[in-house]
């Protein structure tokens, strides 16, 4: 697998100043802006639910959405007998898509009750190829929350039981996995009855957080009033939150199976899960037909609403990123004298100081790019390591005369910085890596475009 265009990764002295940092706030879906940050989907429910999704003006005029008292309300029609496609409801999909994120949802109330199927989740393009992450989901009178991934073939989660507090129910994330129900995915459930539905609401709500990185996807839950102090702040730090309720890692290349995720709230009825699972107390109390109950009993859905205290999305971004605009894009700067190139039979180990770097020869040219280093890597039949104490960039020799891949970019001292030209980010998003580029499989293209765009920027990447 190779690039068809050169990617310049330049280490300079004073362009875009970047350093490794924790999470910082990227998007605040506050009550004042909440609905303007979502699209209202009105298509027929893809899960076969007995539901009629409304557009924003109709939902607002019918009282299904509001932002009174600083809370976001997303509800359903609990007044009228349903007809046509089903009970009136709302499905929201964020206008923005994310690649890696920490999503924190503080809920005062969630939908609950027989016939309901609420979900707070994310999904990528070309389902299931772009992946799906279910953060909050359940049906009917379910007592605990379901947390699930849905993917194309080749992804499974098999974390050790000591790594999470919930219960793992299935392991293969593929929607058509053998020995699992259709679209079951790999899933966990919480063990506390205050994590979903009526128990959640009676306990004063709670907070869910989903962290998505290249190495894992994990979901945390805290009952009302018990979330860590930083979880709802501007600089949350999941490393101090203890074990998650669910963690998805193992035999799955996260960046191949999850991309461009849109945040979604929906509230459907019956359908392929709630309808199929209709039975038990719901059937005993309300008859044998889920659809008939939902159609003819509007008052049963007065508790079927989301009440959102806050929704925030964070990115693991540098503490400072003052990149110039495209109009003022700078030319490549001269490489500092401290930077050198060394050949080696194997990738260099991470240095602890400048003294530990290999013997090297200074670069003669005024700039270094992956393409120029590629030629040296080929000549030496091995990787080339660029050191800029204590930052190391290793370029692996390609198997052909096309482009190499970046093997690693890392910094042994987070206080140091790696400077990358703004033009690199623009190249990564250009048509050079558009779908169907010759010789580049789309999943691999998306994976490495995201890796370079995100991880090179934070000076920590592995390919």
């Amino acid at each position: 697998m190779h690039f068809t265009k050169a990617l310049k990764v330049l280490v300079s002295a004073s362009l875009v100043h970047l350093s490794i940092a924790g999470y910082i706030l990227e998007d605040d879906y506050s009550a004042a802006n909440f609905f303007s940050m979502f699209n209202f989907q009105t298509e027929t429910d893809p899960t076969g639910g007995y539901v009629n999704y409304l557009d924003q003006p109709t939902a607002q005029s019918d009282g299904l959405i509001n932002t009174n008292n600083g809370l976001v309300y997303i509800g359903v029609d609990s007044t009228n007998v349903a007809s046509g496609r089903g009970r009136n409801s709302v499905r929201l999909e964020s206008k923005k898509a994310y690649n890696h994120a920490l999503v924190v949802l503080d809920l005062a109330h969630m939908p609950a009750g027989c016939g309901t199927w609420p979900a707070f989740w994310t999904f990528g393009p070309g389902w299931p190829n772009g992946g799906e992450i279910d953060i909050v989901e359940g049906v009917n009178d379910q007592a605990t929350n379901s947390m699930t991934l849905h993917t194309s073939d080749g992804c499974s989660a098999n974390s050790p039981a000591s790594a999470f507090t919930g219960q793992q129910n299935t392991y293969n994330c593929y929607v058509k996995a053998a020995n699992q129900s259709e679209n079951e995915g790999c899933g966990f459930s919480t063990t506390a009855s205050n994590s979903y539905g009526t128990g959640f609401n009676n306990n004063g709500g709670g907070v869910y957080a989903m962290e998505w990185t290249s190495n894992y996807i994990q979901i945390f839950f805290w009952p009302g009033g018990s979330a860590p102090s930083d979880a709802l702040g501007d600089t949350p730090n999941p490393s101090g939150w203890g074990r998650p309720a669910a963690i998805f890692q193992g035999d799955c290349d996260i960046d191949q199976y999850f991309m461009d995720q849109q945040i979604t709230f929906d509230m459907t009825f019956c359908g392929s899960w709630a309808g199929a699972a209709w039975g038990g107390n719901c059937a005993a109390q309300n008859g044998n037909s889920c659809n008939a109950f939902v159609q003819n009993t509007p008052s049963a859905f007065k508790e079927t609403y989301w009440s959102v205290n806050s929704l925030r999305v964070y990115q693991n971004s540098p503490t400072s990123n003052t990149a110039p605009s495209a109009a003022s894009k700078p030319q490549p700067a001269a490489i500092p004298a401290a930077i050198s190139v060394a050949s080696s039979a194997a990738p260099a180990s991470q240095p602890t100081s400048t003294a530990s770097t290999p013997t090297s020869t200074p670069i003669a040219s005024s700039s270094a790019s992956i393409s120029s280093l590629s030629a040296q890597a080929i000549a030496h039949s091995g990787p080339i390591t660029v050191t800029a104490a204590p930052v190391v960039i290793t370029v692996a020799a390609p198997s052909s005369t096309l482009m190499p891949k970046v093997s690693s970019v890392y910094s042994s001292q987070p206080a140091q910085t790696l400077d990358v030209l703004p033009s690199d980010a623009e190249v990564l998003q250009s048509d050079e890596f558009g779908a169907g580029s010759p010789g580049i499989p789309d999943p691999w293209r998306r994976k490495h475009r995201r890796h370079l765009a995100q991880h090179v920027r934070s000076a920590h990447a592995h390919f």
Side-chain angles (χ1 to χ4, degrees):
M1 297 178 288
H2 308 284
F3 294 106
T4 58
K5 299 283 186 177
L7 292 179
K8 294 182 294 182
V9 180
L10 304 180
V11 183
S12 65
S14 61
L15 291 175
V16 185
H17 185 70
L18 301 173
S19 62
I20 298 174
Y23 283 101
I24 60 173
L25 182 64
E26 173 156 322
D27 291 308
D28 186 351
Y29 288 72
S30 64
N33 303 311
F34 189 89
F35 292 113
S36 67
M37 299 175 77
F38 286 94
N39 292 316
F40 284 67
Q41 295 299 328
T42 59
E43 291 82 2
T44 300
D45 182 31
T47 67
Y50 185 68
V51 65
N52 181 45
Y53 290 127
L54 302 180
D55 58 32
Q56 183 171 358
T58 306
Q60 191 151 0
S61 65
D62 287 1
L64 271 60
I65 59 171
N66 67 62
T67 54
N68 297 336
N69 303 316
L71 294 177
V72 175
Y73 174 89
I74 310 166
V76 304
D77 178 9
S78 60
T79 304
N80 304 295
V81 171
S83 60
R85 294 194 301 183
R87 183 156 299 283
N88 287 347
S89 182
V90 174
R91 174 175 170 138
L92 306 177
E93 297 175 3
S94 65
K95 294 178 179 178
K96 186 172 181 177
Y98 299 90
N99 284 292
H100 295 178
L102 174 65
V103 180
V104 181
L105 174 67
D106 183 1
L107 282 175
H109 186 280
M110 72 169 62
C114 292
T116 64
W117 181 358
F120 172 70
W121 52 297
T122 71
F123 72 96
W127 190 94
N129 297 322
E132 175 184 330
I133 306 170
D134 298 328
I135 304 167
V136 179
E137 187 176 29
V139 297
N140 299 323
D141 54 0
Q142 186 171 311
T144 59
N145 182 47
S146 297
M147 301 159 286
T148 312
L149 303 186
H150 302 272
T151 70
S152 53
D153 194 11
C155 176
S156 61
N158 50 6
S159 299
S162 59
F164 52 87
T165 63
Q167 174 179 313
Q168 186 162 10
N169 304 311
T170 52
Y171 296 84
N172 195 328
C173 309
Y174 180 35
V175 297
K176 296 184 180 296
N179 302 316
Q180 291 182 189
S181 299
E182 179 81 6
N183 195 27
E184 190 169 11
C186 54
F188 291 77
S189 58
T190 53
T191 56
S193 61
N194 60 6
S195 63
Y196 183 83
T198 300
F200 178 92
N201 297 333
N202 290 343
N203 196 56
V207 176
Y208 275 95
M210 183 275 288
E211 184 184 22
W212 164 27
T213 74
S214 291
N215 299 318
Y216 56 79
I217 295 170
Q218 59 181 349
I219 298 173
F220 295 86
F221 167 69
W222 303 282
S226 67
S229 58
D230 67 320
L232 298 173
D234 291 336
T235 55
N237 181 14
S239 65
W241 294 350
R243 291 186 299 163
I247 182 166
F248 302 89
Q249 61 183 356
D251 188 15
C252 184
D253 185 333
I254 299 293
D255 287 331
Q256 177 179 342
Y257 289 92
F258 294 89
M259 63 204 71
D260 300 329
Q261 297 284 298
Q262 292 176 263
I263 297 171
T264 306
F265 285 91
D266 70 38
M267 179 55 249
T268 187
F269 302 93
C270 304
S272 60
W273 187 9
W278 184 260
N281 290 333
C282 286
Q285 297 171 8
N286 304 300
N288 294 327
S289 171
C290 180
N291 279 19
F293 170 70
V294 171
Q295 178 181 16
N296 298 308
T297 321
S299 61
F301 303 103
K302 294 187 180 297
E303 293 297 309
T304 306
Y305 65 90
W306 302 95
S307 182
V308 180
N309 291 318
S310 65
L311 170 61
R312 289 180 150 198
V313 180
Y314 305 82
Q315 290 287 343
N316 196 346
S317 297
T319 54
S320 175
N321 54 350
T322 54
S325 66
S328 60
K329 182 169 61 178
Q331 297 300 310
I335 292 188
I339 299 177
S340 58
V341 175
S343 63
S344 172
S349 58
Q350 182 169 327
T352 56
S353 69
T354 56
S356 64
T357 58
T359 303
S360 57
T361 303
I363 296 175
S365 62
S366 63
S367 66
S369 68
I370 294 299
S371 56
S372 65
L373 293 176
S374 170
Q376 300 179 55
I378 294 171
H380 289 281
S381 298
I384 287 293
T385 298
V386 180
T387 64
V391 174
V392 173
I393 303 176
T394 299
V395 181
S399 58
S400 75
T401 56
L402 294 176
M403 291 307 301
K405 64 178 181 178
V406 178
S407 294
S408 60
V409 179
Y410 56 80
S411 173
S412 62
Q413 298 179 17
Q416 299 293 323
T417 62
L418 173 68
D419 296 301
V420 181
L421 287 178
S423 55
D424 296 325
E426 295 165 13
V427 168
L428 294 171
Q429 297 175 19
S430 74
D431 290 339
E432 296 171 1
F433 294 93
S437 296
I440 302 181
D442 282 356
W444 183 89
R445 168 185 56 78
R446 290 190 296 263
K447 169 189 171 185
H448 287 274
R449 179 178 61 189
R450 291 195 312 278
H451 273 180
L452 285 169
Q454 293 182 326
H455 296 296
V456 171
R457 283 204 306 268
S458 62
H460 188 280
H462 296 282
F463 295 89

